[in-house]
Amino acid sequence: MLETICEVLEDAYKRNWITSRDGNVSIRHHDRDHFYITPSGVRKQTLQPDQFKKIKIVSPIMWEEQFYTDISANLKPSGEIPLHFGLQRALGQHNNDVRVVVHVHPTYCVAAMHAGIDLSTVVKDFPELSRYTRVAKNVPDVPPISQELADQCHKNLWLQKDGTIAFDIVGIKGHGVVAIDTSPWRAYEHIERLEHICKIVLASGITK
Ligand SMILES: [Zn+2]
């Protein structure tokens, strides 16, 4: 699935959901005590599976890098690792499956939040969105790659100690979104769905 994550990021780049070095993704299989995360500072449109970082879950509050490949040994894990670690240390409803966490900066989602829209409210006017995607309340302005960003995202996703989450996607004001599901393309679809609705809302000019 690392190859699929590369494809997802290449597609996100083509859609202008990220610039070259933005965006990060992690993946964990339920029966493994480690997860893989994209490296920091590399160009995501040409990302390769052997560049991923392998992260061992030592305890609920501790992780450590493990050797994966020679290429990845020279790279650092994404700066958003606190966000990913919190969501990967316990898998909740994905306990017998895979959990993929995707963070990107989709244009219309970010524009809608900038215009003062809480993404969790658009479902009222566009109910089809909620058939497949549960949208959390926006996280307010928080510094990128901070523990605060991680904590606020976890809180708004209603992340529990056992890893259960109540939502599929959360927006971070002035920044981007985080989507979670059992495969890279499924997580991507939550973003795509919300992005499509935000585009419609902004095209209508009615933001309140
Ligand atoms: Zn970001």
Side-chain angles (χ1 to χ4, degrees):
M1 269 210 244
L2 296 183
E3 215 159 290
T4 313
I5 292 172
C6 296
E7 287 166 17
V8 160
L9 282 168
E10 191 185 349
D11 202 78
Y13 176 77
K14 283 185 191 152
R15 288 178 180 238
N16 281 314
W17 290 359
I18 47 171
T19 62
S20 292
R21 296 176 202 276
D22 296 337
N24 37 79
V25 180
S26 66
I27 179 167
R28 182 181 173 192
H29 290 260
H30 70 94
D31 55 350
R32 319 238 170 108
D33 66 353
H34 60 264
F35 63 93
Y36 292 92
I37 188 164
T38 48
S40 170
V42 305
R43 285 170 42 225
K44 303 304 187 310
Q45 68 270 43
T46 54
L47 186 70
Q48 299 297 318
D50 59 6
Q51 293 180 300
F52 279 72
K53 297 295 291 184
K54 186 176 174 184
I55 307 292
K56 183 179 163 114
I57 299 160
V58 179
S59 79
I61 54 163
M62 214 168 113
W63 54 268
E64 67 182 26
E65 288 184 35
Q66 285 193 315
F67 181 80
Y68 177 47
T69 67
D70 284 340
I71 289 173
S72 88
N74 294 318
L75 298 168
K76 285 189 169 33
S78 165
E80 300 289 9
I81 195 165
L83 166 76
H84 291 270
F85 177 64
L87 286 159
Q88 297 292 13
R89 62 189 162 191
L91 295 182
Q93 63 265 56
H94 302 139
N95 220 4
N96 282 312
D97 212 327
V98 173
R99 178 171 274 182
V100 180
V101 179
V102 178
H103 165 62
V104 289
H105 307 157
T107 314
Y108 293 97
C109 292
V110 178
M113 290 189 281
H114 187 65
I117 297 171
D118 193 311
L119 301 180
S120 68
T121 64
V122 299
V123 68
K124 286 185 202 136
D125 295 322
F126 300 90
E128 196 175 43
L129 177 64
S130 66
R131 285 180 65 196
Y132 307 104
T133 298
R134 300 163 300 166
V135 184
K137 279 191 181 308
N138 295 352
V139 166
D141 283 306
V142 284
I145 63 170
S146 64
Q147 186 63 46
E148 193 186 353
L149 179 147
D151 292 343
Q152 291 277 335
C153 286
H154 298 160
K155 183 173 159 235
N156 286 18
L157 288 162
W158 293 11
L159 175 65
Q160 307 297 309
K161 274 213 169 78
D162 71 353
T164 307
I165 46 174
F167 299 95
D168 305 302
I169 188 165
V170 61
I172 308 157
K173 192 168 176 292
H175 187 163
V177 302
V178 182
I180 303 105
D181 213 315
T182 53
S183 79
W185 285 115
R186 286 178 70 104
Y188 180 95
E189 280 174 33
H190 293 306
I191 302 166
E192 188 179 35
R193 229 170 261 130
L194 185 59
E195 176 77 345
H196 183 61
I197 298 296
C198 286
K199 189 173 183 179
I200 292 168
V201 170
L202 292 168
S204 77
I206 304 165
T207 57
K208 294 282 182 240

